[in-house]
Amino acid sequence: MLPASFTHRGTVTRLVLREGAIDGLRAELADLGIGRPLVLGGARMQRSEPFARVIAALDGLPHVLAKPVPAHSSVGLVAALAAQSMADGVDGFIAVGGGSASDTAKAVALLMAEGGRLADHAVRFTPPASLVVPRLTAPKLPIVAIPQTASGAEVTVSLGVRDDDGAKLLFTDTQLAARLVLIDPRANLEMPAALMCATGMNGLAHCIEGLYSKERSPLAETLALDAMARFAQALPAVHRAPNDSSARAALLYAAHLSGLVLVNARTCLHHAICHAIGSVTGAAHGDANAVMLPHAIAFNADAAAEPLARAATALGGSASASALVRALHELQSAIAVPARLRDIGVPRKGFDRIAAKTMRERGLYYNPRPIVDEGEIRTLLEAAY
């Protein structure tokens, strides 16, 4: 049912999806007025053939190569890259890879524009229901994203960066959405299918949480349902045929849609727990999503029965929250992603720290079912162990 009133945000993102999209990078940068970009990617990504193609496509354009971005980027790295970028006259960014590269580019753009300390601009959540979202109005330098995972981070307007205490600082600013996204399916073939499937579970989680987040729009729900149906087809296809570029294109497009969902919705309990798992243990965000998603959905089943029934239908099942949980467990098995915390290196002894950090995550503010205390989080972690 359409709500009586709602607001829907748009972004300035331009998407190019085609084989060979990377090769036109130099002309695209000129159109954006970027003459000296900071190029970011993880250590493995910077050694990859797609990254080499990106550098070659610059065709001699002056650029600054960032030090490799770790799986969970840090406040210290962002501050160092912002200082380097200002000293070297950087006027834009190219993020190649997954969520960490994109989030780091966004964080550097934010810090260069807003000044001060990065933590000063973070969203602050105090249990049970206090949320402060700073207004970030300074113009941001443009970002070009070349995604090589299926998280959808390249188009979201939010980001997360790990602080010195191991907590995930979260930020939101519509100006941080990538101005240009280049999806090159053939270049993605070098990425392991297992990585694409695990990160695809992150994108799928964006869609499900976007259906029941307390902040969402009807258009975001439409995008979420369409993307979920595409994930249901694309994830098994990539697992079955890792060298099929059309399957990679379908998965990357579904992920892009999942990122657009989060322009007008917010993540909830599931992502809050996954952020804490990553910050405490270093576990990959995609793996944490793959493990925790069915458990978070089961927790919210009664509070979000109607949207979860629609989600189950989008995945090809019967219309109920319990059917969605079954479908997610079946998907875990079908695409061989991790299904237990013990399998991704999360120890029981870390549960107390994970639960404590989860209670400070803004996702709890948007969750349809209130979280009473850390004990509920520990129960979820035990179920997933």
Side-chain angles (χ1 to χ4, degrees):
M1 179 180 295
L2 195 67
S5 66
F6 67 90
T7 300
H8 185 86
R9 303 179 190 87
T11 71
V12 296
T13 301
R14 175 170 171 263
L15 169 65
V16 177
L17 191 162
R18 63 176 172 83
E19 293 191 3
I22 290 174
D23 301 329
L25 180 59
R26 175 71 184 263
E28 297 283 8
L29 293 175
D31 286 346
L32 290 171
I34 299 176
R36 185 183 291 272
L38 178 71
V39 187
L40 305 99
R44 181 171 62 178
M45 181 57 60
Q46 290 193 10
R47 297 190 298 268
S48 72
E49 190 273 339
F51 197 87
R53 280 184 57 192
V54 169
I55 299 302
L58 293 176
D59 193 26
L61 186 74
H63 63 278
V64 178
L65 181 62
K67 63 176 64 176
V69 176
H72 298 281
S73 190
S74 68
V75 168
L77 176 61
V78 170
L81 290 178
Q84 178 185 10
S85 297
M86 295 180 75
D88 291 342
V90 162
D91 57 4
F93 307 91
I94 303 172
V96 188
S100 290
S102 285
D103 279 9
T104 302
K106 295 174 196 175
V108 175
L110 187 158
L111 188 57
M112 289 176 68
E114 301 288 346
R117 299 184 312 129
L118 188 63
D120 295 338
H121 311 299
V123 175
R124 297 184 296 279
F125 172 69
T126 304
S130 173
L131 188 72
V132 177
V133 182
R135 293 184 68 247
L136 305 175
T137 58
K140 310 301 188 294
L141 292 175
I143 299 171
V144 174
I146 304 175
Q148 294 295 316
T149 71
S151 70
E154 72 276 4
V155 72
T156 64
V157 299
S158 298
L159 66 130
V161 176
R162 194 176 183 179
D163 70 8
D164 295 336
D165 188 44
K168 207 67 171 284
L169 300 179
L170 300 180
F171 308 83
T172 296
D173 183 352
T174 56
Q175 295 186 80
L176 295 173
R179 294 283 297 279
L180 173 69
V181 176
L182 299 179
I183 295 179
D184 192 327
R186 186 156 296 280
N188 186 250
L189 292 177
E190 186 172 327
M191 299 300 107
L195 171 68
M196 297 304 296
C197 288
T199 57
M201 294 295 285
N202 182 18
L204 181 60
H206 291 161
C207 298
I208 297 174
E209 293 203 293
L211 286 175
Y212 60 52
S213 170
K214 289 181 179 178
E215 181 178 324
R216 64 188 187 276
S217 77
L219 283 170
E221 294 173 6
T222 299
L223 288 169
L225 291 169
D226 183 62
M228 287 185 67
R230 293 177 185 275
F231 275 120
Q233 299 296 317
L235 283 166
V238 169
H239 178 68
R240 287 193 307 266
N243 295 318
D244 183 349
S245 62
S246 63
R248 297 294 180 114
L251 180 54
L252 288 165
Y253 179 61
H256 186 82
L257 292 178
S258 79
L260 289 175
V261 170
L262 294 190
V263 176
N264 286 280
R266 294 291 175 263
T267 55
C268 304
L269 170 65
H270 165 74
H271 268 80
I273 294 176
C274 292
H275 288 159
I277 288 172
S279 66
V280 171
T281 71
H285 190 55
D287 287 345
N289 273 268
V291 171
M292 291 305 305
L293 186 55
H295 301 283
I297 297 309
F299 179 88
N300 282 320
D302 292 339
E306 189 276 332
L308 290 177
R310 285 191 287 152
T313 302
L315 286 185
S318 57
S320 70
S322 60
L324 177 60
V325 173
R326 288 195 300 273
L328 290 171
H329 282 301
E330 291 168 1
L331 184 60
Q332 286 175 326
S333 177
I335 63 176
V337 295
R340 302 184 304 180
L341 289 176
R342 70 185 73 182
D343 296 333
I344 63 171
V346 177
R348 267 203 176 103
K349 65 182 181 182
F351 285 3
D352 285 346
R353 286 189 67 209
I354 293 169
K357 290 188 182 300
T358 300
M359 292 302 294
R360 307 294 297 187
E361 283 275 340
R362 75 165 184 193
L364 273 59
Y365 180 86
Y366 298 106
N367 199 65
R369 173 179 165 180
I371 291 80
V372 176
D373 56 35
E374 295 177 17
E376 291 184 306
I377 306 300
R378 286 194 295 269
T379 298
L380 277 173
L381 294 170
E382 285 289 350
Y385 187 74

